[in-house]
Amino acid sequence: MTNIERTDRIDKLKLNDEQYFQSVIEQAYIVGLFSDKEIEKIQFDCFAFLAKLTERYNNGNSSSIRIETAQNILTSVMFTIGLCLKTYSSADEAAQALRDEKLEVLYQKGQKQIERKIHISKLIHSRITSNLFETPNVFYHASIVDSINGFFKLYRPDYFAHEINITADYSTCKPVNCTMGIEFIREYLEYLYYENDFCNHFQADNVHHLLCGYEDEYQNLLINIFEPVYISALGCILIHSDVYTLKLSCSDVKHLSRRLSGCSDIEFRHLLDSALEELITTLAISPKTAAYLNVCLEKVSIIIKNAISRNVPEKAFLILKYPEDTPEFKCSFSGKMDDELYRKVLQEVVACQTTEEKNQIIKKYIHSLADLEDIMLDAELSKTEMISVFQELTTGELAALAKKYDIYTKCSLSDMHSSEMRLYNCLNSYIAMLAPEQQSCVKEAAKIIRVIE
């Protein structure tokens, strides 16, 4: 007997995963599964259920509510019912359920789905945090531990199931497709789990020195940690070196660049596929994490290709760096002048009419970085006046200010007062105006300076 395959009338490719409920109704109507009257009934049922939920939201006292809140609850209802509809094997069956079942029943089934996803998400989160990869990168811990804990505390699936409430600053290598509520968190945590699991195959110290090769201050940068580790591990496999060390020399990187740049697209991908296969075997990576690595290989191969085509292969295959071996210069922002003398100098600077006069007084009386910073903050110098002061500074003094104000990491902006922000912006503008060679000197000097208050 010949098998007869069922043909669905609704094309699932035309459904919107984020607005699943609405898209099922829309497509069901387009293909003739719903009549105008049935659409009107679903809309009426939606608003009737919204009124019921609104009354419950107000503890039974009233159905009056702010329009924004009502819209949010309605979005939550549609999101929740959409989760229920996704459990049906086809969109046609989901449409049939909308015809046969009361919306409130579908909503309750959707709430069950949310409960299940919350439970699974908490399990994944617990597994990640119990074996969290050690890194000084502040965003890694803050996003995976603090933000997710915050989500579970704030999440209100009964009225606002579609909301996330957190920023989830740390991005995964594979972008999260779901954008709403517990669906987003569930997928986000799953990707984080695989990335955390992969990184745990390496010593934290080796990964730290690898990321220092990207940027000394990577601790304060919003970067994905998994990607550079993954790329360097593939590089080590390709040159047959010890993958656990993640160590590639300059000559290794040049060799990789020559080898990969000479490949056709097919050869290039074949090399990476083979390297990944060996990497999975060598590290005894779990099947699910291995599958994630496979999915991410396309993005990783683009990163490698782009770096090689721009003749900067070291941007993809990072070279370990050991900042602790780099000479360090201490710059003191202490040693301030006598308070009475400072007040007189400040009054003179404020009273001056021209930029030149202010500059002369500052040059005459200010002899420490601490006093220089104070006078620039307290005298409310204009941008022109600040730049005039900057022009008198040495590269080391500019670098010390740049380091003090995190010009290159921008991690303290939210903590700055308005006067500090003005100094920061002027300094940033002035350094950007310098010749590229001078900018590079200031940046390199800032890397080896340690500011002492």
Side-chain angles (χ1 to χ4, degrees), residues 1-23:
M1 184 175 174
T2 306
N3 287 329
I4 301 175
E5 291 187 4
R6 187 185 65 191
T7 303
D8 292 321
R9 295 176 67 180
I10 297 177
D11 182 356
K12 64 181 181 183
L13 297 177
K14 293 183 178 177
L15 298 177
N16 183 320
D17 196 54
E18 186 176 324
Q19 298 182 327
Y20 197 76
F21 172 53
Q22 299 95 312
S23 64

Side-chain angles (χ1 to χ4, degrees), residues 272-284:
L272 290 188
D273 283 337
S274 300
L276 175 56
E277 193 175 330
E278 187 177 337
L279 177 66
I280 290 168
T281 304
T282 304
L283 300 182

Side-chain angles (χ1 to χ4, degrees), residues 55 106 130 139 176 200 360 401:
E55 193 172 337
L106 298 176
S130 64
F139 292 101
V176 179
N200 270 325
Q360 286 301 318
L401 277 174

Side-chain angles (χ1 to χ4, degrees), residues 69-85:
T69 307
Q71 182 59 54
N72 259 340
I73 294 177
L74 181 60
T75 303
S76 173
V77 168
M78 293 189 287
F79 170 76
T80 305
I81 295 175
L83 287 181
C84 169
L85 297 180

Side-chain angles (χ1 to χ4, degrees), residues 168-322:
D169 291 327
Y170 185 86
S171 298
T172 50
C173 178
K174 182 185 178 192
V176 179
N177 293 318
C178 303
T179 58
M180 298 177 80
I182 191 64
E183 277 202 314
F184 171 88
I185 295 297
R186 166 73 177 78
E187 191 168 304
Y188 182 55
L189 283 171
E190 184 180 345
Y191 297 167
L192 285 174
Y193 175 81
Y194 299 139
E195 295 189 6
N196 189 69
D197 181 45
F198 177 72
C199 289
N200 270 325
H201 284 83
F202 304 92
Q203 289 186 8
D205 206 36
N206 289 339
V207 174
H208 167 66
H209 289 120
L210 177 77
L211 295 173
C212 285
Y214 173 76
E215 176 63 57
D216 284 352
E217 304 287 342
Y218 81 91
Q219 294 93 330
N220 301 312
L221 296 181
L222 192 49
I223 58 169
N224 178 272
I225 291 174
F226 162 81
E227 282 176 16
V229 176
Y230 185 16
I231 292 172
S232 291
L234 288 173
C236 288
I237 292 289
L238 286 169
I239 63 165
H240 308 295
S241 69
D242 183 358
V243 66
Y244 289 99
T245 66
L246 297 171
K247 194 171 186 178
L248 295 169
S249 66
C250 290
S251 59
D252 292 335
V253 174
K254 286 178 182 174
H255 171 70
L256 281 167
S257 181
R258 283 195 299 272
R259 184 179 176 190
L260 293 173
S261 61
C263 293
S264 66
D265 287 347
I266 295 175
E267 290 169 336
F268 180 85
R269 185 55 192 251
H270 177 70
L271 271 177
L272 290 188
D273 283 337
S274 300
L276 175 56
E277 193 175 330
E278 187 177 337
L279 177 66
I280 290 168
T281 304
T282 304
L283 300 182
I285 291 172
S286 71
K288 287 188 175 180
T289 300
Y292 184 77
L293 293 175
N294 247 313
V295 169
C296 294
L297 192 60
E298 181 65 32
K299 180 179 179 182
V300 160
S301 66
I302 291 172
I303 294 172
I304 295 172
K305 261 189 176 179
N306 286 343
I308 291 175
S309 66
R310 291 188 292 114
N311 202 29
V312 284
E314 69 278 7
K315 297 290 184 186
F317 297 110
L318 300 178
I319 296 171
L320 271 63
K321 186 176 179 182
Y322 301 84

Side-chain angles (χ1 to χ4, degrees), residues 80-209:
T80 305
I81 295 175
L83 287 181
C84 169
L85 297 180
K86 287 179 182 177
T87 62
Y88 289 90
S89 58
S90 73
D92 282 27
E93 289 186 16
Q96 187 64 38
L98 277 170
R99 179 184 286 114
D100 298 342
E101 299 269 15
K102 289 183 177 177
L103 276 186
E104 189 168 351
V105 172
L106 298 176
Y107 175 81
Q108 294 304 334
K109 289 181 178 177
Q111 283 286 316
K112 291 287 183 188
Q113 286 297 312
I114 290 175
E115 287 175 19
R116 182 171 172 272
K117 288 178 184 294
I118 291 174
H119 176 68
I120 294 172
S121 299
K122 285 185 174 177
L123 282 178
I124 298 173
H125 188 232
S126 174
R127 291 181 67 184
I128 297 173
T129 54
S130 64
N131 200 22
L132 190 67
F133 180 69
E134 290 182 23
T135 173
N137 184 274
V138 294
F139 292 101
Y140 196 72
H141 185 280
S143 294
I144 297 177
V145 180
D146 303 336
S147 289
I148 299 297
N149 280 334
F151 168 80
F152 289 129
K153 284 180 184 175
L154 298 172
Y155 192 46
R156 297 183 64 186
D158 41 359
Y159 300 109
F160 307 108
H162 62 295
E163 292 188 347
I164 297 174
N165 296 315
I166 60 169
T167 55
D169 291 327
Y170 185 86
S171 298
T172 50
C173 178
K174 182 185 178 192
V176 179
N177 293 318
C178 303
T179 58
M180 298 177 80
I182 191 64
E183 277 202 314
F184 171 88
I185 295 297
R186 166 73 177 78
E187 191 168 304
Y188 182 55
L189 283 171
E190 184 180 345
Y191 297 167
L192 285 174
Y193 175 81
Y194 299 139
E195 295 189 6
N196 189 69
D197 181 45
F198 177 72
C199 289
N200 270 325
H201 284 83
F202 304 92
Q203 289 186 8
D205 206 36
N206 289 339
V207 174
H208 167 66
H209 289 120

